[in-house]
Amino acid sequence: MSPGFTFFIGLVLLVLFGWYFATDYGVRKRLLATLLMALLVAFSIATIWPPEKKIALGLDIKGGTSFLIRLQQTDKPITPGMLDQAVEVIRKRVDYFGGGEPIISPVGKDRILVQIPGLDTAKIQEARDQLSRVAKLEFRLVYPDNGERLQQIQQSKAVIPPEYRVEDYKHADSDPNKPPIDEKLLVKKKADLGGDHVSSSNAYFGNEGWTVQLNFDGEGAKKFGQITEQFKGHRFAIVLDGIIQSAPVIRDAIYGGNAQITGSFTEKEARGLASVLENPLQVPVSIEEERSVSPTLGADSIRASVLAGLVGLAITLVCVAIYYRLVGLIACLALLINIILLMGALTMFRFVLTLPGIAGIILTIGLAVDASVLVYERLREEMALGKSLKVAVRAAYEKAFSSIFDANVTTLITAVILFWKASGPVKGFAISLTLGILASLFTALIVGRNVLEWFVDSGRVKKISMLHLISSHNINFLGKGFLACMCSLALIIAGATSFYMRGDKNFGVDFRGGDLVTLSSPQTIDVGQVRGALAQIGLADESIQESAQGGKNYITIRTALKTGDMVEKQVLASMPNAHFKVEGSDRVGALVGGELARSSLLALGLGILGILIFVTLRFELAFAVGAIVALLHDVLITVGMFSLLHRELTLTMVGAVLTIAGYSINDTIVVYDRIREGLASGRKGSIEQIMNESINQTLSRTILTSTVTLIPILCLFLFGGAVLRDFSLAIIIGVVVGTYSSIFIASPIVLWWTRARGGSKTTLAREITSKQTKPGIGPGPATAT
């Protein structure tokens, strides 16, 4: 699909969206909604199909190895130009290994990410050596007879001089339509001038075409002048890592430390040569992070994840259809369209799909239903008031809008911050979650609404019935707030104590630094025997974890930094009958681990700050404080539970914890929205009574949404395989604790904060009424009767 056509479709969609929102409800608005839905679905399907050619898969799915390389600063600071040039030098080294479409890109100010798909595990050490060694730039004289001696050597009429050797020189022809030229040159073995004397180099377009200019330091300028004066008219080879990059002719003696290289250069060749000449990889480099996954483990993981997603989707669809009946079928249609749009967006923007990204898609299955549940529970209430079906449907969507808008925006805040601050797989999770939220808003508020209103307005549906398994109660939730807080405090203290006692054992290799080796075997693995093998090299006390997936048994061994290769060889040699296969390996330096911990805390802190500002603007400070306390409560309990269960915190777990924060705030905002509505309506009773009534009114929605969200995540935990088991477990804990905190923690905090400030119901109602939904954001409470 051409970029021009994609731009045109995007422009048409933008116009249609603007027209839709500018049109009052009626036949025209419904036709616009139908046209928008049809165009988006058709465009998404055209973008996705065929999936095997268009969906980019991460290394954790298709297998491969990634390296994070850091340029170490010496006497010169690392500049953006030096980093870009280092990328080009490393790209040439990576091409040596072949493979499909390697990714080499700068990360931050002094790092380079190298991803090599399909790299055989046997070549990992070779790749490690190639990427980490310092580049060697040299200037070597070509035998000064304009090629006559080389011809004699090729005709066996002369021998190679002892200080020279024959080298290959591959370069572009002056005619761009002709293939590259393979040339042989007789080049000196020892460098006449070292590359360390080049101080700078750049490419520019001059009178003779693309030209490369280089500058030498004082000593280099003197040597270069002497060479060019002595060998005028002969060729001088520029060699990087033993490969001739260019072999220009010396035209004149060059003194002063400045020289120009001209020839039939293209812009790319000239800039590449300038990059070689300045060569930043003379600066020492180190591999700070290394991750490797075999295609077998990736294939097993994606099969398990897809199975979990399909099972979770099927159960969700059946449950929603049974519970809500006709409108449930509409919600199922909206959910399926949501998934199509999400996959289309991921494909169109060429996002790389990773295993956490698949988990994010599975999570959106549950979250996407939430908007429909909010609307349908409102619809139930409106019909119970005796309103006509047409008026009830309109009122349900208008009253549910603020809850849907506020809840999704707060979740979006955490997803965007996660995308901004995270890296690698976690960023993939944030992308899928962000796009899932946007797709959910479209399908619930536009697709679902217009389909339902079409049925009602056309008279095809005159009555809507739903199951009602969770009836309204008059539970005194706020009266139990103190007891609930004490229980939560006890659980937080237990988790904190365990966290303190376990120390570094709480953290995985991502944070502590070290090596992580994953081995598979078709047989049952005897961990005791593995530990016995490690005892022979003094590593008997290292962490060993077992798991099973796809009919194979796996062990994961975590050891100190740069000991993984030794562990791998020892286990394979000591247990040949186990038929072990290396499925993956991670190597993370302590510096990277520390930076991950800091960036994770920064992401959480920024997320909390963003939520605090948004909730204060939309509600009131008391609500923002309650939301933040509930969020911290959920995160602390989840992390504490992981410590109590002796699980490790990894980079992927950061994504899970921040997702929990997003879900927690989503659930809390829905409860807050109903409390805000109750206070603003002027309903009689104390603050406590109104808040209790509001929590009871949303109880049905809270339980239903939590159940629907848990279904796909439970499927991911049961069927998703060992790779995502901890990830899904964290979200399960977070959803349960988040549901509990939105009722028993967040609301009591609002009440206690208000009383501590000496505020009254009237004061709080006045403050939140002034912050009700502004024109242009969305419809306020319905006024139809």
Side-chain angles (χ1 to χ4, degrees):
M1 198 174 294
S2 68
F5 180 72
T6 303
F7 176 78
F8 175 74
I9 292 293
L11 194 61
V12 169
L13 290 172
L14 187 62
V15 171
L16 288 175
F17 268 110
W19 194 2
Y20 174 85
F21 288 114
T23 304
D24 292 332
Y25 284 100
V27 176
R28 182 187 297 174
K29 197 173 188 76
R30 193 168 300 125
L31 287 173
L32 287 170
T34 305
L35 184 58
L36 271 170
M37 179 185 72
L39 281 175
L40 280 170
V41 170
F43 187 64
S44 296
I45 292 174
T47 304
I48 297 167
W49 198 261
E52 65 272 9
K53 293 183 180 180
K54 294 188 177 180
I55 298 179
L57 302 178
L59 293 186
D60 55 354
I61 294 177
K62 65 182 177 182
T65 303
S66 70
F67 301 91
L68 185 63
I69 301 170
R70 182 173 187 174
L71 278 66
Q72 298 178 355
Q73 184 173 328
T74 53
D75 55 335
K76 293 182 179 180
I78 305 299
T79 65
M82 293 170 66
L83 190 62
D84 291 339
Q85 291 155 2
V87 168
E88 293 306 314
V89 174
I90 287 175
R91 193 182 304 280
K92 292 174 183 176
R93 294 185 179 184
V94 171
D95 288 342
Y96 167 81
F97 296 99
E101 299 183 2
I103 296 173
I104 300 107
S105 60
V107 178
K109 297 180 180 179
D110 58 356
R111 291 186 175 96
I112 301 169
L113 176 65
V114 179
Q115 294 183 327
I116 310 175
L119 183 65
D120 192 303
T121 51
K123 291 186 176 181
I124 291 177
Q125 182 59 48
E126 185 180 359
R128 194 182 293 149
D129 294 340
Q130 282 281 348
L131 294 173
S132 60
R133 66 186 173 87
V134 174
K136 190 175 183 182
L137 178 65
E138 299 170 317
F139 296 85
R140 301 184 195 169
L141 190 68
V142 178
Y143 196 82
D145 66 351
N146 296 318
E148 295 177 6
R149 183 66 176 266
L150 180 63
Q151 291 180 3
Q152 294 175 355
I153 293 170
Q154 291 173 333
Q155 296 170 0
S156 301
K157 295 180 180 180
V159 295
I160 301 174
E163 68 271 25
Y164 286 84
R165 65 181 171 211
V166 178
E167 298 275 9
D168 292 319
Y169 174 37
K170 188 174 183 178
H171 58 95
D173 193 276
S174 57
D175 185 348
N177 297 318
K178 291 184 178 181
I181 299 172
D182 288 321
E183 187 179 357
K184 299 287 186 182
L185 294 178
L186 189 59
V187 184
K188 263 191 177 183
K189 294 179 181 178
K190 186 177 179 181
D192 294 275
L193 181 63
D196 54 335
H197 292 296
V198 176
S199 58
S200 64
S201 178
N202 65 286
Y204 66 92
F205 191 81
N207 294 331
E208 298 183 55
W210 280 99
T211 303
V212 178
Q213 179 175 345
L214 63 155
N215 302 307
F216 294 96
D217 60 16
E219 185 180 349
K222 182 179 179 181
K223 288 184 178 180
F224 191 70
Q226 293 171 349
I227 293 169
T228 53
E229 181 177 8
Q230 184 178 354
F231 298 99
K232 189 185 302 182
H234 298 291
R235 299 175 75 176
F236 203 30
I238 301 168
V239 183
L240 175 70
D241 288 341
I243 299 173
I244 298 174
Q245 304 294 320
S246 182
V249 176
I250 302 172
R251 295 183 179 180
D252 296 297
I254 302 171
Y255 286 97
N258 299 314
Q260 287 80 35
I261 303 172
T262 58
S264 301
F265 293 131
T266 63
E267 179 182 0
K268 183 178 179 181
E269 289 170 337
R271 294 192 185 282
L273 179 57
S275 169
V276 167
L277 290 168
E278 197 163 69
N279 185 31
L281 276 188
Q282 291 184 53
V283 176
V285 298
S286 62
I287 296 177
E288 294 199 331
E289 182 180 289
E290 176 187 321
R291 299 182 187 275
S292 178
V293 177
S294 76
T296 306
L297 181 59
D300 289 344
S301 297
I302 193 171
R303 275 195 298 268
S305 299
V306 170
L307 173 63
L310 291 176
V311 171
L313 177 62
I315 296 174
T316 302
L317 292 174
V318 170
C319 290
V320 171
I322 291 175
Y323 193 82
Y324 287 112
R325 297 177 182 170
L326 173 64
V327 291
L329 292 175
I330 295 173
C332 292
L333 173 66
L335 178 58
L336 292 173
I337 292 175
N338 181 6
I339 294 172
I340 292 172
L341 297 183
L342 174 57
M343 296 305 297
L346 287 170
T347 306
M348 183 176 67
F349 294 113
R350 298 183 181 179
F351 290 125
V352 178
L353 188 62
T354 61
L355 285 174
I358 293 175
I361 294 171
I362 294 173
L363 179 61
T364 58
I365 294 174
L367 293 179
V369 181
D370 182 45
S372 297
V373 171
L374 280 168
V375 171
Y376 298 157
E377 289 303 308
R378 282 284 192 175
L379 179 58
R380 189 198 307 276
E381 294 174 10
E382 297 299 317
M383 290 191 299
L385 294 174
K387 295 180 180 180
S388 67
L389 185 57
K390 184 175 181 179
V391 173
V393 169
R394 179 74 60 85
Y397 274 98
E398 289 176 343
K399 287 187 175 182
F401 178 84
S402 61
S403 295
I404 295 170
F405 176 80
D406 290 335
N408 280 279
V409 168
T410 47
T411 307
L412 200 58
I413 287 172
T414 57
V416 169
I417 289 173
L418 183 58
F419 173 78
W420 174 36
K421 299 306 295 182
S423 60
V426 181
K427 182 168 287 190
F429 174 79
I431 290 168
S432 62
L433 185 60
T434 301
L435 293 175
I437 291 169
L438 297 176
S440 299
L441 287 171
F442 171 76
T443 53
L445 297 177
I446 296 180
V447 175
R449 176 171 190 166
N450 283 277
V451 171
L452 178 56
E453 288 189 340
W454 179 81
F455 276 113
V456 174
D457 292 349
S458 64
R460 286 174 171 79
V461 174
K462 297 180 180 179
K463 183 180 180 181
I464 292 177
S465 61
M466 316 173 196
L467 292 180
H468 197 191
L469 303 179
I470 307 167
S471 302
S472 296
H473 296 280
N474 292 314
I475 303 172
N476 184 11
F477 289 108
L478 294 181
K480 299 175 175 61
F482 180 77
L483 177 61
C485 286
M486 289 300 100
C487 292
S488 294
L489 185 60
L491 193 55
I492 290 172
I493 291 173
T497 303
S498 173
F499 199 89
Y500 176 77
M501 297 291 290
R502 294 189 70 219
D504 285 347
K505 293 182 179 178
N506 290 295
F507 300 100
V509 67
D510 292 326
F511 294 105
R512 291 175 59 183
D515 286 10
L516 196 71
V517 179
T518 301
L519 304 172
S520 70
S521 172
Q523 308 168 9
T524 302
I525 300 172
D526 184 347
V527 175
Q529 193 174 352
V530 174
R531 200 170 290 282
L534 295 178
Q536 299 176 31
I537 54 175
L539 298 173
D541 295 330
E542 300 301 323
S543 171
I544 302 175
Q545 292 183 330
E546 291 181 274
S547 59
Q549 178 181 315
K552 290 183 181 179
N553 297 290
Y554 294 87
I555 57 167
T556 302
I557 307 169
R558 190 179 70 184
T559 62
L561 190 64
K562 296 185 179 180
T563 59
D565 295 337
M566 181 171 58
V567 166
E568 178 186 315
K569 292 176 183 177
Q570 178 65 21
V571 173
L572 294 178
S574 301
M575 303 175 63
N577 296 329
H579 302 290
F580 277 122
K581 180 183 177 183
V582 180
E583 297 286 4
S585 62
D586 291 352
R587 174 170 294 174
V588 182
L591 178 61
V592 173
E595 290 181 355
L596 280 172
R598 286 191 294 273
S599 64
S600 302
L601 290 173
L602 178 61
L604 183 60
L606 290 173
I608 290 173
L609 179 61
I611 291 166
L612 181 68
I613 294 170
F614 180 79
V615 177
T616 301
L617 292 174
R618 292 287 290 156
F619 292 84
E620 202 270 338
L621 181 59
F623 289 87
V625 172
I628 298 303
V629 171
L631 184 153
L632 292 174
H633 165 276
D634 299 344
V635 170
L636 290 174
I637 286 184
T638 303
V639 173
M641 287 294 294
F642 250 63
S643 181
L644 289 168
L645 294 172
H646 288 197
R647 305 273 182 162
E648 292 181 346
L649 296 176
T650 62
L651 176 60
T652 307
M653 278 297 301
V654 174
V657 169
L658 288 179
T659 303
I660 291 163
Y663 180 84
S664 169
I665 206 71
N666 183 299
D667 212 28
T668 302
I669 290 298
V670 171
V671 176
Y672 278 178
D673 187 78
R674 186 59 70 98
I675 293 172
R676 174 176 63 181
E677 182 182 322
L679 290 169
S681 67
R683 191 186 307 166
K684 292 182 179 180
S686 64
I687 296 178
E688 188 170 356
Q689 288 173 332
I690 293 174
M691 292 178 76
N692 265 321
E693 288 176 11
S694 301
I695 296 171
N696 278 281
Q697 287 169 348
T698 58
L699 184 61
S700 175
R701 170 265 160 200
T702 300
I703 296 174
L704 284 170
T705 298
S706 299
T707 302
V708 172
T709 304
L710 280 173
I711 287 172
I713 302 303
L714 280 169
C715 291
L716 189 66
F717 178 75
L718 295 173
F719 308 116
V723 176
L724 290 174
R725 190 154 289 149
D726 281 1
F727 181 86
S728 52
L729 176 62
I731 295 181
I732 290 170
I733 295 171
V735 168
V736 173
V737 176
T739 304
Y740 157 83
S741 70
S742 65
I743 297 172
F744 290 103
I745 303 297
S747 299
I749 293 292
V750 175
L751 179 64
W752 299 336
W753 181 275
T754 303
R755 286 178 173 172
R757 290 173 53 209
S760 63
K761 183 186 82 171
T762 304
T763 305
L764 188 60
R766 184 170 59 250
E767 289 174 345
I768 63 173
T769 301
S770 66
K771 296 180 180 181
Q772 283 283 2
T773 308
K774 306 293 189 300
I777 294 178
T783 57
T785 59

